[in-house]
Amino acid sequence: MEMRVTKSKNLLARWAVAAAMTICAAAAVPVHAQEAFGVAGPPAGLWPMVQALPLSKTHGVGIGAVPAMVLERLDNGQLIAQADGAAQSGKVRQVGVARPITLDSAMGVWADSPDGGRVWMMEIASPGAVGMRVHFTQVALPEGAELTAYNVVDSSDIAGPYTGQGGVDRDDVYTPVIFGDRVRIELYMPAGAPVGQLPFDADNIQHLFRNPLDSLTGGGNTGAGAVGEPDITPTVGNCHNDVTCYPTWANPAKAVGLYIFSSGGGTGQCTGQLIATTAQDLTPYFITAAHCVNTTTEAASVQVFWLFQTASCNGTAPIRGDSPTTTGATMIATRSQSDETLLR
């Protein structure tokens, strides 16, 4: 995968964004950040780690049989071959495809909670998926209502809880990747709230046919249940070096993130970096390529993976759960002539 961020100083000047091209000292990631834009945070390990829980568990609802929408199995090997063929003439590595869906209250089941509220539950399965992202739309949750989506096998792999409109200045939201091929959606409605019609919809799920982090490790994984399908060909080139072997790059490396985004009916993968402003005001500006992200919709779907680094020179790559992520971004400006996009 190739990334170009070659003219960022001129770009930022044109956009009148007072930004210095000093790379920040660490990824500005809520909860997980150790340092951001040169300003030190608490020592490592002192950030409060708040683990979200399924709403059924939070509100004391027992889970029985949960209705499931089971989509047709896709051939991951074929999808990989098609994506790699298309990549020969492009610059964005494709890691997933969109699968249209629509939701209705009748597709799930309601259960009463001890506090007088109700919890609605249903599952979506995309057999063979390495991971799934749900695109919630028309999100208008009433006061006290919450929405989550999580891995049926491992409930610690959870997105949410979402409240209000769900997204940042939008009424839609992409969940971060939920690894696995089965997702359970739960909606909590407080006592007195109407439960006839769902206060949200979903227009698609992103079926990841390969793990976006595999290209960084040289590993391959075509997903759960994809027996007999070929491994992914590693995309790490011989010219790529393990940054852990170069201590002088330790701080700048923290500003670099790999990200995925939804565009044109699929999920793409690119990279970018945080940049600091001359005001040192901690605004998390992120610069990347316009050939990756160039619309507000694409920006809103961005999920960045931070600090995916080995613990020692040429050591074993971390497991996916070790890397903090940031989901969602706001488009600041984009310029196709210089192939640059600035996000926040």
Side-chain angles (χ1 to χ4, degrees):
M1 178 180 61
E2 178 186 355
M3 280 297 304
R4 295 189 294 143
V5 286
T6 55
K7 300 179 182 177
S8 48
K9 184 177 294 185
N10 291 335
L11 173 70
L12 294 176
R14 287 193 299 268
W15 290 337
V17 176
M21 292 313 295
T22 303
I23 299 178
C24 72
V29 185
V31 179
H32 297 280
Q34 296 177 4
E35 189 175 323
F37 293 96
V39 178
L46 294 186
W47 289 97
M49 301 298 291
V50 179
Q51 176 61 55
L53 297 173
L55 297 174
S56 53
K57 186 171 184 177
T58 301
H59 296 281
V61 173
I63 299 178
V66 178
M69 175 193 299
V70 182
L71 305 178
E72 182 181 357
R73 176 179 288 274
L74 298 181
D75 186 333
N76 284 353
Q78 183 179 30
L79 291 171
I80 290 169
Q82 292 173 346
D84 289 347
Q88 298 300 316
S89 58
K91 299 176 181 178
V92 177
R93 183 174 188 255
Q94 187 178 0
V95 298
V97 293
R99 309 199 70 179
I101 62 169
T102 186
L103 299 185
D104 183 87
S105 176
M107 295 178 178
V109 61
W110 288 97
D112 295 329
S113 64
D115 61 7
R118 304 194 76 191
V119 175
W120 179 85
M121 296 170 280
M122 75 161 290
E123 295 178 3
I124 303 175
S126 187
V130 173
M132 297 168 61
R133 300 185 77 188
V134 183
H135 184 212
F136 291 120
T137 61
Q138 302 178 50
V139 181
L141 303 178
E143 183 71 25
E146 296 179 305
L147 176 66
T148 61
Y150 63 93
N151 186 326
V152 174
V153 177
D154 177 10
S155 63
S156 67
D157 188 4
I158 186 169
Y162 300 107
T163 59
Q165 289 188 304
V168 179
D169 301 324
R170 297 170 61 91
D171 64 356
D172 71 321
V173 61
Y174 274 94
T175 69
V177 175
I178 299 168
F179 287 95
D181 62 358
R182 198 174 188 94
V183 169
R184 181 174 293 150
I185 298 172
E186 293 187 352
L187 167 71
Y188 170 76
M189 297 288 279
V195 294
Q197 184 176 358
L198 296 177
F200 69 95
D201 198 357
D203 63 1
N204 75 80
I205 62 100
Q206 296 288 316
H207 169 110
L208 269 62
F209 50 77
R210 53 184 165 196
N211 186 336
L213 300 180
D214 280 342
S215 64
L216 303 181
T217 65
N221 182 359
T222 52
V227 178
E229 294 182 355
D231 285 341
I232 304 166
T233 301
T235 58
V236 176
N238 293 332
C239 61
H240 294 155
N241 300 313
D242 184 351
V243 72
T244 310
C245 303
Y246 301 87
T248 56
W249 288 95
N251 273 342
K254 295 176 184 177
V256 179
L258 175 141
Y259 69 91
I260 58 175
F261 63 99
S262 178
S263 177
T267 302
Q269 172 189 328
C270 284
T271 59
Q273 65 189 38
L274 288 165
I275 57 175
T277 66
T278 54
Q280 295 289 302
D281 60 4
L282 309 185
T283 304
Y285 289 119
F286 186 82
I287 194 163
T288 184
H291 71 253
C292 293
V293 171
N294 53 54
T295 70
T296 56
T297 300
E298 290 171 346
S301 72
V302 163
Q303 179 185 1
V304 185
F305 296 85
W306 304 102
L307 308 179
F308 192 83
Q309 298 170 7
T310 59
S312 60
C313 179
N314 293 321
T316 302
I319 61 174
R320 61 176 180 251
D322 288 343
S323 298
T325 69
T326 303
T327 303
T330 300
M331 172 72 70
I332 301 301
T334 185
R335 185 178 177 88
S336 60
Q337 297 93 324
S338 51
D339 193 19
E340 292 156 308
T341 289
L342 186 68
L343 305 175
R344 183 179 61 240

